[in-house]
Amino acid sequence: MGKVIRSQDDNWVRAEDASAIGALRRAAVTLAEERGFDEEDAGRVAVAVSEAASNMVKHAVEGVMLVRPHPELDSAVEVIAIDRGPGMRDVSRALRDGYSTTGTLGIGLGGIARMTSGYEVHSMPGRGTVLDMYFTARDAPHPASRLSGLTRPIGEEVVCGDAFASTDDGTTTNVMLCDGLGHGSAAAYASQEASRLFLEHMDLGPVAVLERIHRGLGTTRGGAVAVARIDRTAGTVSFAGLGNVSAWITHPEGRQGMISVPGIAGYAARTLRQYEYNAPPDSVIVLHSDGLSDRWDITSYPGLVARTPSVVAATLLRDAGTRRDDACVVALRPWT
């Protein structure tokens, strides 16, 4: 089966008040210590997260942060910061050590980057900034930064009714996204059952996996499901979808949609079909539930497709996501 990734209950924290800085720092340090970080490595995490959160409190509009185990490598800590603030016209200038526009800790974005094991930034004036950073203990392996997925529940719900799962054996990546019908625990059960069935049958082709999921969700609320297989040797994407889940091959010049048939997995479906696509070397595969509008335009984000999958997913969640529905988005860089 190879490497397995499953969606987590992403706990987004508002970073609009100074009281959030300490809470985010403590959450990140606790997670790092649980993963065997020593005092020095945990200290790097503490300073970087404190500075990033402080910057958001001072500059951000609708700033939120996520602290979690890295989806590709459980021993690493990932921190994602999203805001709708003023953005940065010159990211390279902001990355210079010591550059800080206000009285934060003073180390600036360059100092944050130096303390991380890896980072990526995408920022646009008037639209905001997305910062993705991860931390590993010294001499520990680093994540591949090939795939990332983010979830966000509707309103004040605790659980998200959308979920994703993925496997990777080194040459082939399989990924599934399910939008459980409705919201809350019943929707979450449907999407988690879809994940289980996907992992059980992932050796089959996408349309055969989708058929197994369709049959297996009959005792649940059901949902919309998409299954994709990326063959990195052949440079192809095989795709099968049922219901209102969006799937795209994005590249710097635009995007190509992948076709889903109407229906609800577990209840109603036309003849399921599998479609074959080619993707350019600089492409990013994006799957998302209808908790994101499909009206986003990748060409309006210069340089975004060259960023990490976490930055791509977070940017789309920020700008295309709606608070009126659960949301899930997966971004996959197929050829790295």
Side-chain angles (χ1 to χ4, degrees):
M1 183 179 292
K3 173 65 178 177
V4 175
I5 299 173
R6 297 188 66 165
S7 55
Q8 310 170 44
D9 290 327
D10 290 338
N11 182 25
W12 295 95
V13 177
R14 287 178 174 267
E16 299 173 345
D17 184 90
S19 62
I21 300 171
L24 287 161
R25 180 182 64 249
R26 288 189 295 272
V29 169
T30 297
L31 188 59
E33 291 174 343
E34 289 173 351
R35 274 140 185 79
F37 286 43
D38 63 21
E39 184 175 353
E40 182 178 346
D41 289 332
R44 289 190 295 109
V45 176
V47 174
V49 171
S50 294
E51 175 71 0
S54 181
N55 284 340
M56 295 188 76
V57 168
K58 290 184 175 292
H59 298 291
V61 179
E62 298 182 29
V64 294
M65 291 186 73
L66 172 66
V67 178
R68 66 176 183 176
H70 196 286
E72 294 178 304
L73 187 66
D74 189 64
S75 60
V77 175
E78 182 176 43
V79 179
I80 301 174
I82 305 174
D83 72 62
R84 297 180 184 273
M88 293 178 281
R89 189 173 300 278
D90 188 348
V91 174
S92 62
R93 182 186 179 202
L95 284 167
R96 295 173 190 162
D97 283 346
Y99 176 79
S100 182
T101 56
T102 62
T104 63
L105 296 180
I107 66 172
L109 188 57
I112 293 173
R114 191 176 63 251
M115 293 184 182
T116 69
S117 302
Y119 74 95
E120 191 75 87
V121 184
H122 188 267
S123 187
M124 295 180 64
R127 298 182 75 168
T129 300
V130 173
L131 168 64
D132 172 42
M133 50 187 174
Y134 70 82
F135 305 86
T136 63
R138 280 170 293 179
D139 302 322
H142 288 219
S145 296
R146 180 177 293 135
L147 182 146
S148 182
L150 297 170
T151 63
R152 186 180 66 192
I154 184 174
E156 301 302 318
E157 271 287 357
V158 176
V159 297
C160 183
D162 300 351
F164 70 91
S166 175
T167 67
D168 192 311
D169 65 6
T171 60
T172 302
T173 302
N174 297 282
V175 61
M176 187 280 313
L177 187 148
C178 178
D179 179 351
L181 195 63
H183 314 292
S185 58
Y189 174 74
S191 61
Q192 293 300 327
E193 183 67 5
S195 295
R196 184 189 69 79
L197 291 163
F198 163 76
L199 294 174
E200 182 178 332
H201 299 289
M202 48 75 57
D203 288 336
L204 305 175
V207 71
V209 175
L210 184 59
E211 173 63 28
R212 301 308 192 278
I213 295 173
H214 175 49
R215 292 178 187 174
L217 292 191
T219 59
T220 74
R221 281 190 175 182
V225 179
V227 181
R229 171 171 291 180
I230 295 89
D231 185 329
R232 295 202 292 277
T233 302
T236 59
V237 182
S238 302
F239 179 81
L242 174 59
N244 193 17
V245 173
S246 296
W248 309 92
I249 300 171
T250 70
H251 48 84
E253 289 73 42
R255 64 181 187 176
Q256 176 185 6
M258 294 187 280
I259 299 173
S260 293
V261 300
I264 301 173
Y267 291 92
R270 298 181 181 177
T271 301
L272 300 179
R273 298 185 182 278
Q274 180 171 309
Y275 297 89
E276 307 295 326
Y277 302 90
N278 293 313
D282 56 354
S283 63
V284 174
I285 309 301
V286 175
L287 309 180
H288 65 76
S289 68
D290 64 357
L292 282 73
S293 166
D294 62 6
R295 296 182 179 179
W296 49 271
D297 177 6
I298 198 68
T299 64
S300 70
Y301 299 94
L304 181 61
V305 293
R307 301 300 193 267
T308 63
S310 285
V311 170
V312 175
T315 301
L316 296 180
L317 181 64
R318 179 193 66 190
D319 291 352
T322 171
R323 283 293 185 181
R324 299 186 300 275
D325 200 356
D326 293 323
C328 179
V329 54
V330 176
L332 166 65
R333 189 174 304 285
W335 316 138
T336 55

